[in-house]
Amino acid sequence: MVKMTIRNVLDRVRTKTNHLHRYRSQPVEAWSNQGYCTTCTSEVTFIAKHTWLRDHYVCSNCGSIPRERALMHVLDTWYPDWPQLRIHESSPGRRGASIRLARECRSYIPSQFFPDVPLGQSKDQMRCENLEALSFPDELLDLQISQDVMEHVLNPERAFREIARALKPGGAHVFTVPLASTWTRCRVRAGARMAVWNICWNRGITAIRSATRGRWWLPTGDMTSAISSIAYPV
């Protein structure tokens, strides 16, 4: 059996997804097909109204998208006892996989990051956690779940180390991230952009801060380096 690593998986998928980026989020006439949803464990209709299926191939029953169904397939296949495990999910969604985890896992811990709340405390029944500085003690968690979160973390090396510290021996971090359409290394600007935001905000220049707001994407290459730096197989 060939040992699958993160790089193996990315290599296999890269060639199949590169051409799709040229048509990302293009509206098309709605089409559908029947199938089995691993998130709500039901025979359902899957509906797509855009060519970018990763975000728009939706389950008609639970609203899940492909990455959520892939996540639940991995859990059901490799960790079938997950309802009895202690699971921490960072930045859970309001549909699909996160709802099923919250409903069926007896020790499910959802968290968001709130700048005004001390780590480990709660706001509106949601625990406050920072992946770069988790408040959990060592070897507490069986599974760490994150869905399209790691590409937004400013210091992924620190976050991966913290997650590894909080996981029990034999535990796992099951996560999804968007695939980059190229292996060309990009410049990471998130830290500099945040510094500009803070300066503008402190000086009352809200127009610049608003105009520069946007998503932060960490290149796949940088994330691969981050994972390998803490001895994960890449």
Side-chain angles (χ1 to χ4, degrees):
M1 179 180 294
V2 178
K3 183 178 180 180
M4 294 299 294
T5 66
I6 294 172
R7 187 174 293 279
N8 293 148
V9 174
L10 293 179
D11 282 340
R12 288 190 176 191
V13 177
R14 176 174 56 117
T15 56
K16 296 181 179 180
T17 59
N18 277 349
H19 70 284
L20 291 176
H21 287 261
R22 297 196 299 271
Y23 311 104
R24 186 168 186 174
S25 296
Q26 295 296 316
V28 295
E29 183 177 351
W31 59 273
S32 63
N33 69 289
Q34 304 298 310
Y36 179 78
C37 177
T38 55
T39 299
C40 59
T41 63
S42 304
E43 294 292 335
V44 300
T45 300
F46 295 111
I47 303 171
K49 297 181 181 180
H50 291 74
T51 55
W52 187 242
L53 300 184
R54 185 180 190 273
D55 293 333
H56 299 283
Y57 190 36
V58 181
C59 169
S60 60
N61 185 46
C62 68
S64 67
I65 58 178
R67 61 176 167 81
E68 295 177 272
R69 297 192 285 272
L71 174 73
M72 293 312 306
H73 175 69
V74 169
L75 293 183
D76 288 337
T77 301
W78 297 101
Y79 303 95
D81 60 339
W82 64 262
Q84 284 74 51
L85 301 180
R86 181 177 281 114
I87 299 176
H88 171 231
E89 182 175 15
S90 176
S91 301
R94 299 180 179 179
R95 61 163 190 243
S98 295
I99 290 180
R100 183 182 172 195
L101 289 171
R103 182 179 65 244
E104 298 184 21
C105 179
R106 290 186 291 182
S107 299
Y108 173 70
I109 308 171
S111 75
Q112 299 280 357
F113 176 66
F114 305 107
D116 58 336
V117 178
L119 298 180
Q121 296 189 19
S122 297
K123 177 179 181 179
D124 299 328
Q125 299 183 331
M126 180 69 68
R127 185 184 179 108
C128 176
E129 287 293 345
N130 179 352
L131 284 177
E132 299 179 20
L134 293 171
S135 68
F136 299 119
D138 295 353
E139 300 182 3
L140 175 73
L141 305 173
D142 296 295
L143 294 173
Q144 165 72 44
I145 303 294
S146 60
Q147 301 182 58
D148 283 21
V149 171
M150 298 306 294
E151 70 273 15
H152 298 283
V153 176
L154 292 177
N155 192 324
E157 294 90 345
R158 185 181 301 167
F160 281 121
R161 289 183 186 278
E162 274 292 279
I163 291 169
R165 177 190 63 76
L167 285 171
K168 295 178 181 179
H173 178 195
V174 184
F175 64 100
T176 66
V177 290
L179 291 173
S181 61
T182 175
W183 286 106
T184 302
R185 183 176 292 274
C186 300
R187 293 175 59 192
V188 180
R189 301 181 176 89
R193 180 174 295 178
M194 174 165 270
V196 171
W197 285 3
N198 290 335
I199 292 172
C200 293
W201 183 257
N202 291 334
R203 296 182 180 180
I205 311 175
T206 55
I208 294 178
R209 184 174 187 270
S210 176
T212 57
R213 181 179 292 124
R215 292 187 176 183
W216 300 340
W217 298 102
L218 182 73
T220 304
D222 288 343
M223 181 169 288
T224 302
S225 300
I227 299 171
S228 62
S229 71
I230 58 171
Y232 278 17
V234 177

